[in-house]
Amino acid sequence: MRLRDLFAAGSAAALLFAPLAISTPAFAQTNTIKAVMHSDLKVLDPIWTTANIVRNHGYMVWDTLFAMDEKLQPQPQMVDTWTVSDDKLTYTFTLRDGLKWHDGKPVTSEDCIASLKRWGARDSTGVKLLSFVSAFEPVNDKTFKIVLKEPYGLVIDSLAKPGGSTPLMMPRRIAETDPAKQISEFIGSGPFIFKADEWKPGDKTVYVRNPDYKPRPEPASGLAGGKVAKVDRVEWLAIPDHQTAVNALLAGEIDYIEAPPHDLKSLLLADKNVKLEVYNRIGAQYVFRWNTVVPPFDNEKVRRAAEYAFDQKAFLQGVIGDEKYYQTCDAMFVCGTPLENNAGMEGLVRGNFAKSRELLKEAGYDGTPIVMLHTTDIAVLTNAGPIAKDLLEKGGFKVQMVPLDFQAIVARRLRKTPPQEGGWNGFMTAWLSVDMMNPLTNSMLTASCDKANFGWPCDAEVERLRDAFARAPDLESRKKIAADLQARAITYGTHVPLGQYTLPTATRSDRLSGIVTSPIPVFWNIEKKGN
């Protein structure tokens, strides 16, 4: 019986006892990893959107100038050598030998400059970096310079940023695509080649090993080091039903589930051939994001009311359940990091419903339901919406949930219009902790009005403090600024941090080995026994 037939029959129970036989004769002798990711891939441009699944796709196909290692330290990746001038204004980068695009053409400095410009037009970290850039200067085919207007201590960190919209290098002709439009070619230089002819949204996404990829000589470490593709083919299979995916893993018909829901862990742990392991050790942070340009969250008191209504402990217990995999945290910049602080959070996110109702009354909230977009197809978000709704309603809000798959939310959240015109008021989301731990990579913190991320916070003081952070000469200075910045962001209300969590990945331990510990799931370095 084929997997698609089981879907059609809706027979989850049969999966517990019958093999799925989803391999096809054409690939019987091909070493293939069959994986189920946290979401189906429907958008292919990793610069155009911050969706995690598109970022994962990006790391398969494209490469980066720098990358974060397992200790979250930036390391050269496509770059061979780099220098910075004594006045800290000129950075010079020379690319490694042998870098080629998937179409066989060499990677050039002009390609990298065009890629950085397109990334810098959309990503909040890139926008901030480019605001300090005076010029990009190609020196020759392999060398280019970034010339700054003034010293900026986070150039390399910005180029190595791992999450959100990553600065992935593309051929110049592709990188010159209007940043507001999606690219139509998917030519990278990374360890895998995207098979556009086999991509079927709702079915599967296929990558094959790039035979011309030249990995770095160092061992793989996080997103850095040698990216050695040790399998011929990787297939991401779209299996939206979590029980079906788990049953497929147990039956040996797939090899890997990126993010199985916590309530199915017991089934997986019962099988000696299945391994549950947290590879993203720093985890992720839950966030409630509101639209600040339409009522009622255009009112600071209403935003403050929501900050009082939320209860981190109750939220995390409801969504995750197992304390092994979550922790409450008042730090916008993530607990356990150098910038951890609780400035401005006193009394907030503790379920103070009376205070929330009091503020709503002062703000003149008329009871119009807020329209909250609810993700239905990502395990870590499916329970988040209903629990957030319950807490907000206890705090005096009326909430109308709109269930959508995540790709539909990605599109709708870009609309600034009121809900009755197809817009939105708020939604639950989650961001990798590696994105949130730095004020310049934390895109939820950007408050540059129309240039800010969806939700469009607009606060000059937040932006002044972000600029000050970028100019700070040392860690101690940055810690002080980060505390002031968090306090201001909470007072204004850019977003609500709702604690941290980790997710174990489930794999067939009798088949797969060499999985890299990384904040982002990657498929290089993985070896598979058998086909």
Side-chain angles (χ1 to χ4, degrees), residues 338-368:
L339 300 183
E340 176 185 349
N341 72 86
N342 64 354
M345 292 291 288
E346 295 81 3
L348 301 181
V349 293
R350 300 293 191 274
N352 189 337
F353 305 127
K355 184 65 174 178
S356 176
R357 290 175 178 274
E358 176 188 328
L359 287 170
L360 287 179
K361 184 177 181 180
E362 291 178 10
Y365 173 60
D366 63 3
T368 299

Side-chain angles (χ1 to χ4, degrees), residues 61-65 78 95 98-116 141 167-175 185-193 210-214:
V61 179
W62 292 277
D63 215 340
T64 56
L65 297 174
M78 295 173 74
L95 301 174
L99 300 181
K100 293 195 295 185
W101 300 114
H102 295 156
D103 59 9
K105 297 178 181 178
V107 177
T108 70
S109 55
E110 292 277 13
D111 295 321
C112 297
I113 289 171
S115 297
L116 290 174
D141 282 350
L168 299 163
M169 297 299 103
M170 301 179 178
R172 179 178 177 179
R173 70 178 187 280
I174 300 174
E185 284 187 85
F186 312 102
I187 304 296
S189 66
F192 292 96
I193 298 171
N210 176 10
D212 294 328
Y213 185 74
K214 184 179 179 181

Side-chain angles (χ1 to χ4, degrees), residues 369-443:
I370 63 171
V371 170
M372 186 171 75
L373 308 181
H374 169 50
T375 303
T376 58
D377 60 339
I378 298 179
V380 295
L381 294 178
T382 51
N383 291 334
I387 294 171
K389 177 179 184 290
D390 178 65
L391 293 169
L392 288 168
E393 288 180 336
K394 287 177 179 177
F397 289 88
K398 290 185 178 179
V399 180
Q400 175 190 346
M401 290 217 316
V402 178
L404 297 167
D405 66 63
F406 185 67
Q407 298 303 323
I409 288 178
V410 166
R412 185 161 172 174
R413 70 188 183 184
L414 299 177
R415 300 175 186 171
K416 294 182 179 180
T417 53
Q420 60 269 28
E421 297 175 21
W424 56 283
N425 292 122
F427 65 93
M428 281 302 313
T429 188
W431 288 81
L432 291 180
S433 293
V434 291
D435 289 332
M436 308 300 274
M437 61 189 281
N438 182 312
L440 301 182
T441 60
N442 187 330
S443 60

Side-chain angles (χ1 to χ4, degrees), residues 199-506:
W199 176 53
K200 298 177 182 178
D203 183 7
K204 67 179 179 180
T205 304
V206 176
Y207 307 90
V208 296
R209 183 177 63 85
N210 176 10
D212 294 328
Y213 185 74
K214 184 179 179 181
R216 294 189 67 88
E218 305 92 349
S221 175
L223 295 164
K227 300 180 179 181
V228 181
K230 297 183 178 180
V231 295
D232 301 310
R233 182 177 170 97
V234 177
E235 295 181 0
W236 291 357
L237 303 179
I239 305 180
D241 181 77
H242 304 305
Q243 181 72 64
T244 303
V246 166
N247 292 339
L249 188 74
L250 295 173
E253 298 297 336
I254 63 174
D255 309 299
Y256 179 110
I257 301 177
E258 179 192 353
H262 286 290
D263 58 358
L264 296 178
K265 291 200 309 292
S266 58
L267 283 175
L268 295 165
L269 290 169
D271 191 317
K272 64 181 178 59
N273 292 317
V274 172
K275 180 180 182 180
L276 278 174
E277 182 76 23
V278 174
Y279 296 103
N280 176 9
R281 304 281 172 79
I282 193 171
Q285 184 182 80
Y286 277 116
V287 166
F288 182 75
R289 180 68 160 187
W290 38 49
N291 187 342
T292 66
V293 300
V294 299
F297 290 123
D298 60 340
N299 185 317
E300 189 172 303
K301 280 191 176 181
V302 175
R303 299 196 294 270
R304 192 70 167 178
E307 291 174 341
Y308 276 105
F310 275 109
D311 182 338
Q312 273 198 15
K313 180 70 173 180
F315 176 82
L316 291 168
Q317 182 61 36
V319 177
I320 303 297
D322 189 339
E323 292 187 4
K324 177 181 177 181
Y325 295 107
Y326 76 77
Q327 70 174 111
T328 57
C329 175
D330 286 342
M332 274 189 170
F333 306 121
V334 183
C335 288
T337 70
L339 300 183
E340 176 185 349
N341 72 86
N342 64 354
M345 292 291 288
E346 295 81 3
L348 301 181
V349 293
R350 300 293 191 274
N352 189 337
F353 305 127
K355 184 65 174 178
S356 176
R357 290 175 178 274
E358 176 188 328
L359 287 170
L360 287 179
K361 184 177 181 180
E362 291 178 10
Y365 173 60
D366 63 3
T368 299
I370 63 171
V371 170
M372 186 171 75
L373 308 181
H374 169 50
T375 303
T376 58
D377 60 339
I378 298 179
V380 295
L381 294 178
T382 51
N383 291 334
I387 294 171
K389 177 179 184 290
D390 178 65
L391 293 169
L392 288 168
E393 288 180 336
K394 287 177 179 177
F397 289 88
K398 290 185 178 179
V399 180
Q400 175 190 346
M401 290 217 316
V402 178
L404 297 167
D405 66 63
F406 185 67
Q407 298 303 323
I409 288 178
V410 166
R412 185 161 172 174
R413 70 188 183 184
L414 299 177
R415 300 175 186 171
K416 294 182 179 180
T417 53
Q420 60 269 28
E421 297 175 21
W424 56 283
N425 292 122
F427 65 93
M428 281 302 313
T429 188
W431 288 81
L432 291 180
S433 293
V434 291
D435 289 332
M436 308 300 274
M437 61 189 281
N438 182 312
L440 301 182
T441 60
N442 187 330
S443 60
M444 292 288 94
L445 197 65
T446 307
S448 52
C449 309
D450 286 345
K451 293 182 180 180
N453 215 327
F454 44 84
W456 307 282
C458 188
D459 187 72
E461 181 62 7
V462 166
E463 287 303 294
R464 185 192 71 79
L465 288 166
R466 290 180 72 235
D467 282 342
F469 182 90
R471 294 183 174 95
D474 53 49
L475 180 59
E476 289 307 310
S477 302
R478 289 174 185 166
K479 286 181 178 179
K480 172 63 169 63
I481 295 168
D484 292 343
L485 179 51
Q486 173 168 310
R488 177 58 199 164
I490 286 292
T491 299
Y492 169 84
T494 54
H495 62 288
V496 186
L498 288 172
Q500 295 168 214
Y501 69 94
T502 57
L503 282 175
T505 292

